[in-house]
Amino acid sequence: MKRSACLAALGLALSLSGCRCGREELLPTPPPTGAAEPGSQGLVPSRDSPAVQAMPPDMRSALASVAPLVESVKAAVVNVEVRSGAPSRRGQEEGAPWEEEGEPPSGGAPWGPFTPFGQGPREEPSRQGIGSGFIVDARGLVLTNNHVVEGATEIHVQLPDGRELGAKVLGTDPLTDVALLQLQRGEDGKSLPVVRLGNSEALRVGDWVVAIGNPFGLGSSVSLGIVSAKARDIEAGPFDDFLQTDAAINPGNSGGPLFNLRGEVVGINTAIIGQGSGIGFAVPSNLVQALLPQLEKEGAVTRGWLGVAVQDLTPDLGEALGLPAREGAIVNDVTEGTPAEAAGLQPEDVIVAADGQAIQSGRALTRTVALKAPGSALILSVYRGGKKQELKATLGTRPDLEGVGPRAAPEAQAEEPRHHVGLGLADVDARLSRVQELPAAGALVTDVDPGSAAADARLVPGMVVVEAQGEPVRRARDLLRALREARPGESLLLRVVSPGGRRELRALTVPEE
């Protein structure tokens, strides 16, 4: 085939020199009168064709152009520029099959779970990064990806109208790669454009979607495609539930919005497959909507937790177990002292529904539980010995460290010396110590401010401080007292334990007042 045009999206004539299609015959272009002529070489189908007439009116009008949609929403899509003082702690080794779509202009590694273009994380002392975002509240709230702003010391947001505003991180959730920023507005009195979150569950495979962002620094770039698949698990985290799209997404689109044809955001563009073409992934808007209140009020997400190890129920296993169900989550282990044990769950139970919602797999159960608040009641439909029954579980708090960890105790929060050393602390949770092979007592590091004295001392979330200046640290308040008593400029020798049990020394210098 020698044609130089490719059918990139139904109803849009896109001239792509050198692009080859998998078809020998292309749809004819109707002339301005609307009557198709055999000799035409364009790609827009006639509005009078049976295929177009069979479509709903809103889809027929959308086929003409997405320009009105773009004009209505693009003012709220922003560029996010980040300066980072330290390389990301996250990343994969060289040759990783998945790649994060988000790349600094210099070509360095981004802040995400996937390494771009097969490169490992680079040890650079400081770097500039780019990404995208969108304003969801007139107060200046901006949604983007966590990997775009992770480790940032400075954040600048550029609006399409030319304004440039500083921003600070209001909340992050590394497990879903979502971050919420607060714009630091001036006194110009100008209002901010906003877009609203839509219902990602209402999307169907094949629905049109529009991506807008900042690929390779080219702000306000627009691409059109369809939803290629839903609920994709790309092994980026325990709560993977990505939308897949063939709308063009490139490095720099990270954090940008994916719109439906109503102009609602149905996803946050997050990742691509580097070896492929037209395979991008977005965090669903319904998941983001569920996280938003906690990100704004708490700065982090506290998740519900059952305390079970599960695997997928397959049709073969269902038949072997004599169950009518062919999808669900098989309980392999119940951790002692957990909500699962209190609810009466046992190994070999098969969970097929939670609060009436069907559970198709182990990951589906994990996501369902994680979206519930700690303390929530959850009704589990369970097969045991071939008989169905219901169990009621009261969820606990998920004891993971892939974020800021467990919430600090009120006492520690009230006395937190963040303004001095940039360190957030909490008492060690007993369940956490078992899971992460940590000491049963000590001061758990829950948060470290970038560029702070704590960051300079190479303290990271998840470490437990067990000794300060030769004195034992059994609770967060012990370390807080040592920090209060230290003289400005004094270096405190800390003994810390990292997840897995590795013991190390750190020197924390108390900054001058």
Side-chain angles (χ1 to χ4, degrees):
M1 186 186 68
K2 298 181 180 180
R3 310 234 178 175
S4 61
C6 180
L7 186 56
L10 181 60
L12 297 182
L14 303 178
S15 178
L16 303 175
S17 177
C19 177
R20 297 180 61 85
C21 294
R23 299 177 58 186
E24 291 298 325
E25 297 299 329
L26 301 180
L27 295 176
T29 301
T33 60
E37 294 183 358
S40 300
Q41 297 298 313
L43 303 178
V44 181
S46 169
R47 288 183 176 273
D48 297 325
S49 68
V52 172
Q53 288 300 311
M55 296 177 179
D58 59 341
M59 183 173 289
R60 289 202 300 270
S61 62
L63 287 176
S65 175
V66 294
L69 183 155
V70 173
E71 285 296 324
S72 69
V73 299
K74 71 176 183 180
V77 182
V78 300
N79 298 344
V80 180
E81 291 191 2
V82 171
R83 184 169 183 82
S84 174
S88 170
R89 296 187 300 274
R90 302 174 69 194
Q92 291 182 324
E93 58 185 305
E94 187 172 354
W98 296 97
E99 300 180 353
E100 189 68 56
E101 59 85 11
E103 183 184 21
S106 61
W111 299 267
F114 310 119
T115 302
F117 309 107
Q119 298 174 355
R122 300 181 180 181
E123 296 296 326
E124 297 178 359
S126 180
R127 60 173 180 258
Q128 192 80 19
I130 60 173
S132 306
F134 52 99
I135 305 171
V136 292
D137 192 286
R139 294 173 295 159
L141 300 184
V142 175
L143 280 168
T144 185
N145 282 144
N146 174 72
H147 79 261
V148 170
V149 298
E150 185 179 17
T153 56
E154 291 181 44
I155 303 175
H156 297 277
V157 172
Q158 291 87 35
L159 278 67
D161 63 10
R163 281 182 286 176
E164 179 171 331
L165 304 174
K168 65 178 182 179
V169 176
L170 202 58
T172 62
D173 183 36
L175 291 176
T176 56
D177 202 11
V178 175
L180 182 66
L181 309 182
Q182 173 69 66
L183 295 179
Q184 298 171 329
R185 302 179 60 184
E187 301 298 329
D188 57 11
K190 291 184 179 180
S191 61
L192 292 172
V194 300
V195 289
R196 65 181 183 272
L197 295 175
N199 181 9
S200 55
E201 282 300 314
L203 287 173
R204 301 168 299 171
V205 173
D207 280 349
W208 293 103
V209 284
V210 174
I212 305 180
N214 184 33
F216 299 105
L218 302 172
S220 298
S221 290
V222 180
S223 57
L224 175 71
I226 62 169
V227 176
S228 304
K230 296 176 64 177
R232 283 295 196 206
D233 178 3
I234 62 175
E235 299 183 0
F239 310 123
D240 282 13
D241 192 30
F242 289 101
L243 299 173
Q244 182 183 328
T245 179
D246 67 352
I249 297 174
N250 291 286
N253 273 114
S254 284
L258 189 69
F259 292 100
N260 61 19
L261 292 187
R262 295 184 181 88
E264 301 166 330
V265 178
V266 290
I268 301 180
N269 300 319
T270 298
I272 58 174
I273 298 179
Q275 296 88 343
S277 176
I279 305 178
F281 300 96
V283 180
S285 59
N286 284 24
L287 176 58
V288 177
Q289 186 75 65
L291 303 178
L292 200 52
Q294 286 197 69
L295 290 176
E296 181 179 357
K297 294 178 182 178
E298 305 292 336
V301 177
T302 304
R303 292 184 163 86
W305 183 61
L306 259 180
V308 292
V310 294
Q311 72 177 80
D312 295 348
L313 174 68
T314 63
D316 289 344
L317 286 173
E319 184 176 353
L321 292 170
L323 301 178
R326 294 296 180 262
E327 291 182 330
I330 304 174
V331 176
N332 289 329
D333 187 36
V334 178
T335 305
E336 183 180 353
T338 63
E341 183 186 49
L345 279 170
Q346 299 177 9
E348 298 187 14
D349 283 349
V350 179
I351 301 172
V352 295
D355 280 348
Q357 176 185 345
I359 297 296
Q360 290 87 18
S361 64
R363 277 186 173 267
L365 175 66
T366 300
R367 287 193 298 268
T368 300
V369 171
L371 287 177
K372 302 285 186 179
S376 299
L378 188 67
I379 304 300
L380 301 172
S381 299
V382 176
Y383 278 102
R384 178 182 298 169
K387 296 181 179 180
K388 192 174 183 180
Q389 59 180 291
E390 289 191 342
L391 301 176
K392 181 179 180 180
T394 301
L395 301 180
T397 301
R398 181 181 170 89
D400 59 62
L401 291 172
E402 299 181 80
V404 299
R407 307 302 296 166
E411 177 185 27
Q413 287 181 331
E415 299 184 81
E416 197 170 76
R418 184 176 302 280
H419 61 293
H420 289 303
V421 298
L423 187 63
L425 298 170
D427 294 337
V428 176
D429 182 273
R431 295 166 300 172
L432 183 67
S433 66
R434 292 195 298 268
V435 172
Q436 297 292 336
E437 298 181 27
L438 291 169
L444 174 69
V445 177
T446 61
D447 201 11
V448 176
D449 290 346
S452 65
D456 292 340
R458 294 184 295 119
L459 293 170
V460 298
M463 286 182 171
V464 174
V465 180
V466 296
E467 186 177 293
Q469 293 294 82
E471 296 294 324
V473 173
R474 296 184 176 87
R475 301 186 65 180
R477 65 186 180 188
D478 296 334
L479 181 55
L480 292 170
R481 182 171 57 251
L483 289 167
R484 284 196 304 268
E485 294 173 354
R487 299 184 306 275
E490 182 179 358
S491 182
L492 296 182
L493 183 63
L494 307 179
R495 190 176 301 277
V496 303
V497 181
S498 298
R502 187 175 72 255
R503 292 178 174 264
E504 299 173 283
L505 294 175
R506 293 287 189 270
L508 175 60
T509 301
V510 178
E512 300 285 346
E513 295 290 348

